[in-house]
Amino acid sequence: MRLFFASWPPAGVASALSAWAQAARRDCGGRATRPDRIHLTLAFLGDADPDEARATAAAVRLPGCAFAIEQARYWVHNRIVWVGPAETPAELSALAEVLGEERGFAAHVTLLRKARPAALPPVPALEWPVPEFVLVGSRLSAEGPSYEVLGRYALG
Ligand code: 2AM
């Protein structure tokens, strides 16, 4: 099981982003993230020890924050279409760092995989609150990854 820390959006934000992904898919093709799986990864830990991850999470003393969905982009290197803030907010970078993200953290929400580059529709103006974060276990199966929430942690 691979572990990651993430922020899940409120249902209204997830459904608005899912509708946007369906619109973008008309030109970009690929596979849209299911609305219930739309998330912002804060730190990808991979094949890590769940107890260590829980201890790291429980020690976090940082305030809640929020970010705005302000842009949509295509990344050629992994063929994803994502949306996110124009600049990664400092509060999110600080959270990603204490949670163990080792690569440079770039706040992005993957909405299409295996997509091709094309003009993207304008993004809806959305505010994504981050009052808490979750520890998630991801298992790969023939039907794709399945996620299990292993812990939920409130921010201050
Ligand atoms: P992505 O959306 O950019 O693919 C669960 O797999 C989450 O962890 C995804 O949101 C994924 O980001 C992220 N992630 C980061 N690094 C990863 C890696 N090396 N392998 C798989 N997922 C990774």
Side-chain angles (χ1 to χ4, degrees):
M1 188 163 65
R2 301 182 311 169
L3 302 180
F4 63 99
F5 286 112
S7 165
W8 244 259
V13 172
S15 62
L17 291 180
S18 180
W20 184 90
Q22 293 302 336
R25 204 169 80 90
R26 281 178 216 133
D27 286 331
C28 300
R31 190 161 39 80
T33 308
R34 274 175 26 187
D36 58 315
R37 292 193 190 173
I38 291 174
H39 64 274
L40 170 75
T41 300
L42 292 164
F44 182 77
L45 308 180
D47 184 19
D49 177 359
D51 288 335
E52 263 180 48
R54 284 192 183 95
T56 300
V60 170
R61 298 283 177 273
L62 286 173
C65 59
F67 65 94
I69 300 292
E70 293 165 329
Q71 63 166 340
R73 299 273 301 277
Y74 177 78
W75 274 343
V76 176
H77 69 278
N78 55 4
R79 298 177 58 208
I80 67 167
V81 170
W82 59 271
V83 297
E87 280 179 30
T88 297
E91 299 100 316
L92 281 183
S93 298
L95 183 55
E97 193 179 335
V98 296
L99 292 177
E101 178 58 57
E102 284 176 344
R103 307 164 313 165
F105 173 67
H108 69 282
V109 178
T110 301
L111 293 179
L112 292 179
R113 293 185 191 278
K114 298 189 176 159
R116 54 180 182 263
L120 296 170
V123 283
L126 293 167
E127 183 86 350
W128 178 316
V130 187
E132 61 165 22
F133 63 90
V134 289
L135 173 63
V136 182
S138 168
R139 280 200 174 81
L140 284 176
S141 72
E143 298 90 54
S146 67
Y147 295 155
E148 183 187 350
V149 173
L150 304 176
R152 198 172 279 282
Y153 305 89
L155 293 163

